[in-house]
Amino acid sequence: MLDELLEKIDKNCTNVNKDLIIKAYNYALSAHKEQKRVSGEPYIIHPVEVACILAEMGLDENTIAASLLHDVIEDTDSTYKEIGQEFNFQVANLVEGVTKLGKIKYKTKEEQQAENVRKMLFAMTKDIRVILIKLADRLHNMRTLKYMSVEKQKEKSKETLDIYAPLAHRLGISKIKCDLEDLALRYLHPNEYYDLVRKVAEKRNERQEYINNIIKELKQKLNETGIEAEIEGRPKHFYSIYRKMVVKNKTIDQIFDLTAVRILVNDVKDCYAALGMVHTMYKPIPGRFKDYIAMPKPNMYQSLHSTVIGPQGKPFEIQIRTYEMHATSEYGIAAHWKYKEGEPKNAEKDFEAKLAWLREVLEWQRETSNPEEFMEDFKIDMFSDEVFVFTPKGVVINLPYDSTPIDFAYRIHTDIGHKCVGAKVNGKIVPLDYKLKTGEIVEILTSAVPKGPNIAWLNITKSNQAKSKIKAWFKKEKRHENIEKGKEIVEKESKRQGVNFGKIAKGEYLESLLKKYNYNSLDDLYVSVGIGALNPAAIVNKLIGLYKSEQEEETSLEELKEQLEKATVKRKSSNSPGVKVKGIDNVLVRFAKCCNPVPGDSIIGYITKGRGVSVHRQDCENVRALIANDGSRIIESSWEDEQGRKAEYITEIEVRAEDRDGLLAELMEAIIDTKIALYAVNAKTSKASVAIITIKLRISDVEKLKEVMRKMRKLKGVIAVYRTKN
């Protein structure tokens, strides 16, 4: 495996210190030792495969070293400080960045998903290479997804299509994007995927013969004109065909560009010379020519595209680009490291300019509190088609498809957008909701006395950048007016639904509402309603739901306190350390069996009806559901400081390992070595010969638990050790 990795580095990378790579490999091999993946393979295969993917992309030595080590902080005893001292802190920072992203657990709830995406965007601003490692990690995981359960396959595939493939697309890494999409399609729609594979294969020979004849003709003509070129056929990836069939309702026989012809040349002038030659040989189809060399896509993609009528009257697509453009189309932002040695001094500034879109995304996402809106905007921003228009001075401006002059104005400058009163396209006055088309020259008409944007612009703009700037203006310039307007709209909606607004607009309900929509104050929420950024019906429905929930299950803090003062609290007489519940003394506390919190865990309380306060770990999935249902019952809780008392709690862990003789005995030995009391054990073996062992332990604090789990992870054949969450 190491030889294969070093061979890929020699072939694709420049100035890589191979001693650093070998050292990282040996460190990872030692750290992961006998750990195995769910497939039963040695764990080290995964980080090496991730490193190979990045080596193919031509990345630098620190990134490749970090990819080999990307799981050691999370899955072994290695620390950030140790990695920094052993290698360097640039490597350590990359490993820590990937570790933090690895801890993100995908949820179907839009709120959780939106938070995950935000974390990734912030990680990208610190060092884009963190995401490159994460994309390579996801690609290898998708390649080995067959070993997971069907439910997990679908969950990971949906996450891949929603988040990781769009990110790869926006970074210009088409090689990873296409592989991720095809693999996700295979698990999300297996019947359609394999049917498509079969249909494409049926006519492959016929199609290949057709393309080979075209390549032969092109080579002959290029040789005659003295243009050095490499020509190849490029099969379309399956997900792209599937999308075209679904969106355009076509059969596979109606899709003509299943294979395209790609011409690679040495420089830009040869690109245009080759294009002229192609158009003399085959008749171009009007409206199907795109010049992405003069007007590159935001993800740095450059190429000439033309669809022509080939032999037998069959259309086919032809792409013409330089070798360097081809590397950028395959590896996008990662090509920066591949060609770094030969780049001019201002290359770093150019590189930062290529990431300007990321700063724009972060800018508008701060203005978007609604998670569903955020995710929808994110997908539009990542995957939407573009139009390319010109300023009167000939500067190319790229915008999302269907953009209007207002989008154009705000892309030029915020003040131009605010002062916009009209627009000219190709010298003619057009309405502000006019849909811009590629190649048009746009001129914005401004007022010397700006009135600011119109609220209706939010409905006709397409770019998230323009929307966020319009919303920001209304929030700042007309805040008081919009507070009153928003409040009036919400009260009218409440009246429409036949509810007294004063009854449902209680402090605790409003506080829960502000948390849900991520607002600091009620005025901020009213402003969003006033400018049309938040649906008033959603607010009223949420308040009604909270009101009804309290009516159905009414146990206030005061009532709970009164009930408990009359009762004898067993906790005080037990030998276990207590829990402090904010604002209440002498409270009945019980520990949730779903997550089994122990001293040292971060905890939170939930007020139940008639059973006191139920204490959960803060990372317990049930707590998230309780907060979503009724956040007003959540109460701050913490462990009491009772030094000298050796309290014990029962907690549960699960061990998954390769089934073998002596495994259970070795696990028991690890428990004895740590001096932890065993409470119960249950073991079974799956069809895949994986031993699943559930162990209940009596422990006094979480550090002891972590120690025994570390010992277990080091045992031969152990795949995973984790605390259970029922």
Side-chain angles (χ1 to χ4, degrees):
M1 291 188 298
L2 179 60
D3 289 343
E4 183 185 347
L5 172 60
L6 295 175
E7 188 178 320
K8 287 182 188 292
I9 289 170
D10 284 337
K11 184 178 178 182
N12 301 292
C13 307
T14 55
N15 271 354
V16 169
N17 177 3
K18 286 196 276 189
D19 289 340
L20 180 72
I21 305 302
I22 294 168
K23 183 179 179 181
Y25 170 83
N26 288 326
Y27 187 98
L29 186 65
S30 174
H32 291 296
K33 287 184 181 174
E34 300 299 324
Q35 282 183 10
K36 297 203 173 182
R37 305 194 82 207
V38 176
S39 62
E41 296 174 324
Y43 195 88
I44 189 64
I45 289 177
H46 171 64
V48 173
E49 289 292 345
V50 172
C52 284
I53 292 168
L54 295 170
E56 286 174 359
M57 294 163 66
L59 277 151
D60 61 307
E61 60 190 40
N62 286 328
T63 310
I64 297 172
S67 68
L68 287 165
L69 304 166
H70 78 270
D71 278 331
V72 297
I73 292 179
E74 186 173 358
D75 292 343
T76 74
D77 294 332
S78 298
T79 64
Y80 167 81
K81 186 177 179 181
E82 186 180 321
I83 299 294
Q85 291 172 343
E86 189 72 21
F87 297 91
N88 61 62
F89 280 95
Q90 192 176 150
V91 170
N93 288 334
L94 289 170
V95 175
E96 187 183 46
V98 178
T99 301
K100 286 180 179 177
L101 289 185
K103 290 178 180 176
I104 294 174
K105 301 300 180 187
Y106 176 77
K107 299 291 175 189
T108 54
K109 292 180 182 177
E110 289 284 343
E111 292 174 38
Q112 187 65 36
Q113 192 181 32
E115 187 57 35
N116 293 349
V117 174
R118 281 188 169 106
K119 286 179 183 176
M120 279 198 267
L121 293 175
F122 280 116
M124 289 163 71
T125 59
K126 291 181 180 177
D127 195 327
I128 197 73
R129 292 173 296 176
V130 170
I131 291 298
L132 299 180
I133 297 171
K134 189 64 185 171
L135 286 172
D137 171 63
R138 174 51 59 111
L139 178 56
H140 184 249
N141 282 334
M142 289 297 292
R143 286 174 177 172
T144 55
L145 202 57
K146 64 182 178 182
Y147 298 105
M148 308 294 283
S149 66
V150 173
E151 182 183 348
K152 204 73 174 173
Q153 288 172 353
K154 290 188 179 296
E155 180 186 312
K156 290 289 182 186
S157 297
K158 186 176 186 308
E159 181 186 30
T160 297
L161 277 185
D162 283 350
I163 297 174
Y164 292 99
L167 277 173
H169 168 74
R170 208 59 173 80
L171 294 170
I173 313 171
S174 64
K175 194 171 180 65
I176 286 183
K177 167 191 168 274
C178 294
D179 285 352
L180 288 175
E181 287 177 338
D182 283 353
L183 289 163
L185 177 64
R186 174 180 167 186
Y187 291 106
L188 283 174
H189 304 289
N191 293 336
E192 291 87 341
Y193 173 80
Y194 287 110
D195 184 54
L196 188 59
V197 171
R198 179 180 57 79
K199 286 178 178 176
V200 169
E202 280 175 359
K203 295 190 176 182
R204 178 174 288 142
N205 291 338
E206 178 187 328
R207 195 165 52 248
Q208 194 60 52
E209 186 180 350
Y210 178 75
I211 292 296
N212 286 343
N213 289 335
I214 290 171
I215 290 173
K216 187 177 179 181
E217 289 178 5
L218 287 170
K219 278 184 177 176
Q220 184 178 340
K221 200 73 174 176
L222 285 167
N223 287 336
E224 289 173 8
T225 54
I227 299 173
E228 291 183 20
E230 186 179 314
I231 310 175
E232 59 186 15
R234 178 197 63 84
K236 207 173 188 72
H237 72 291
F238 293 116
Y239 185 75
S240 176
I241 300 170
Y242 170 78
R243 287 258 314 157
K244 189 167 283 192
M245 290 170 69
V246 170
V247 173
K248 298 187 177 179
N249 195 25
K250 289 186 174 183
T251 66
I252 195 164
D253 294 327
Q254 294 173 306
I255 299 174
F256 298 109
D257 57 345
L258 290 178
T259 307
V261 174
R262 182 182 292 141
I263 299 176
L264 302 179
V265 295
N266 292 318
D267 52 42
V268 173
K269 68 177 177 62
D270 284 345
C271 289
Y272 290 100
L275 176 70
M277 186 212 72
V278 169
H279 282 180
T280 60
M281 295 175 64
Y282 309 108
K283 187 169 288 187
I285 297 177
R288 295 298 302 268
F289 169 66
K290 293 175 183 175
D291 187 345
Y292 293 120
I293 293 179
M295 295 177 285
K297 289 187 177 185
N299 63 4
M300 299 158 293
Y301 179 86
Q302 287 185 287
S303 186
L304 297 175
H305 287 198
S306 185
T307 303
V308 298
I309 304 294
Q312 305 165 31
K314 293 181 181 179
F316 71 93
E317 186 185 49
I318 192 151
Q319 301 173 355
I320 306 170
R321 62 183 73 142
T322 67
Y323 290 99
E324 189 167 333
M325 288 174 191
H326 181 57
T328 303
S329 77
E330 294 281 296
Y331 303 121
I333 207 80
H336 167 76
W337 285 275
K338 191 178 182 73
Y339 292 97
K340 197 169 183 178
E341 294 304 310
E343 287 182 344
K345 290 181 180 179
N346 62 349
E348 286 300 323
K349 287 184 179 178
D350 292 342
F351 178 68
E352 288 301 316
K354 289 171 184 175
L355 291 177
W357 65 270
L358 177 57
R359 286 186 287 277
E360 288 175 11
V361 170
L362 286 173
E363 181 184 331
W364 64 252
Q365 69 89 16
R366 289 190 185 99
E367 301 294 329
T368 308
S369 55
N370 185 315
E372 292 181 13
E373 182 186 340
F374 172 83
M375 284 309 300
E376 189 60 34
D377 289 348
F378 171 77
K379 291 169 189 175
I380 289 171
D381 202 83
M382 292 294 108
F383 257 147
S384 65
D385 290 332
E386 296 110 12
V387 292
F388 298 90
V389 293
F390 296 91
T391 68
K393 292 184 177 179
V395 177
V396 179
I397 303 293
N398 65 284
L399 294 164
Y401 188 73
D402 276 352
S403 284
T404 65
I406 300 170
D407 294 290
F408 177 89
Y410 278 104
R411 180 59 62 88
I412 299 299
H413 196 279
T414 303
D415 287 342
I416 300 294
H418 290 344
K419 294 177 181 179
C420 175
V421 292
K424 288 182 179 180
V425 172
N426 295 338
K428 294 181 180 179
I429 297 284
V430 296
L432 289 177
D433 62 355
Y434 175 83
K435 306 293 185 188
L436 298 174
K437 301 175 186 65
T438 293
E440 293 179 327
I441 300 171
V442 186
E443 181 183 352
I444 298 299
L445 307 176
T446 59
S447 169
V449 185
K451 296 179 181 178
N454 188 312
I455 193 69
W457 289 4
L458 287 170
N459 297 321
I460 61 177
T461 50
K462 186 69 176 178
S463 66
N464 293 312
Q465 181 192 29
K467 288 180 189 293
S468 70
K469 288 178 178 178
I470 294 167
K471 290 175 186 176
W473 187 89
F474 276 101
K475 285 182 180 180
K476 182 180 178 183
E477 300 294 327
K478 295 193 175 184
R479 180 173 175 81
H480 181 71
E481 182 183 324
N482 283 306
I483 289 171
E484 294 302 316
K485 185 179 178 182
K487 187 176 181 181
E488 183 183 342
I489 291 170
V490 172
E491 288 177 356
K492 277 185 179 178
E493 176 61 28
S494 179
K495 188 175 180 180
R496 189 187 70 79
Q497 294 196 34
V499 180
N500 184 326
F501 185 68
K503 186 182 286 186
I504 62 172
K506 290 185 178 179
E508 60 267 32
Y509 304 160
L510 294 172
E511 188 178 339
S512 178
L513 193 69
L514 294 177
K515 284 182 181 177
K516 174 178 171 62
Y517 290 106
N518 197 27
Y519 287 107
N520 294 322
S521 69
L522 186 58
D523 284 351
D524 289 342
L525 184 140
Y526 283 145
V527 167
S528 288
V529 176
I531 67 172
L534 196 57
N535 185 351
I539 292 171
V540 173
N541 289 335
K542 176 68 176 174
L543 290 172
I544 291 172
L546 292 170
Y547 174 77
K548 286 182 177 178
S549 176
E550 185 176 80
Q551 296 303 305
E552 291 168 2
E553 185 183 345
E554 196 162 10
T555 303
S556 68
L557 290 177
E558 291 74 18
E559 288 173 331
L560 180 63
K561 185 175 180 181
E562 187 180 329
Q563 292 169 14
L564 295 172
E565 283 175 349
K566 296 175 182 178
T568 302
V569 184
K570 295 179 181 178
R571 176 179 66 77
K572 290 294 181 182
S573 61
S574 72
N575 68 339
S576 64
V579 169
K580 290 187 288 185
V581 176
K582 186 178 181 181
I584 308 176
D585 295 322
N586 199 31
V587 61
L588 177 65
V589 171
R590 65 185 185 87
F591 296 97
K593 292 181 180 179
C594 56
C595 56
N596 299 313
V598 297
D601 286 332
S602 296
I603 56 173
I604 196 165
Y606 181 79
I607 302 169
T608 66
K609 185 177 181 180
R611 293 183 296 164
V613 173
S614 174
V615 176
H616 295 254
R617 298 206 324 249
Q618 284 193 357
D619 62 352
C620 176
E621 292 181 10
N622 287 345
V623 163
R624 295 194 185 102
L626 292 171
I627 292 172
N629 184 52
D630 187 0
S632 63
R633 291 193 177 278
I634 297 297
I635 188 164
E636 188 178 316
S637 303
S638 60
W639 298 101
E640 284 184 337
D641 184 16
E642 298 190 13
Q643 294 182 354
R645 297 180 65 174
K646 297 295 181 182
E648 289 187 337
Y649 279 76
I650 294 173
T651 192
E652 186 178 272
I653 62 174
E654 187 167 291
V655 180
R656 288 179 178 258
E658 181 184 355
D659 192 22
R660 61 178 177 82
D661 292 339
L663 173 64
L664 192 57
E666 290 178 23
L667 291 171
M668 294 304 104
E669 189 176 337
I671 294 169
I672 293 166
D673 286 348
T674 321
K675 297 180 181 177
I676 292 178
L678 178 66
Y679 182 78
V681 64
N682 181 40
K684 61 181 179 181
T685 305
S686 71
K687 291 180 181 178
S689 296
V690 174
I692 303 168
I693 303 161
T694 305
I695 303 170
K696 287 187 177 181
L697 303 167
R698 289 185 184 274
I699 64 167
S700 56
D701 64 75
V702 77
E703 292 306 317
K704 280 284 186 183
L705 181 62
K706 288 179 180 177
E707 184 182 347
V708 76
M709 289 171 72
R710 281 196 294 267
K711 286 180 180 290
M712 288 176 174
R713 286 192 184 108
K714 293 178 181 179
L715 297 177
K716 180 182 177 182
V718 170
I719 299 166
V721 182
Y722 49 87
R723 287 176 74 176
T724 59
K725 295 179 185 178
N726 296 331

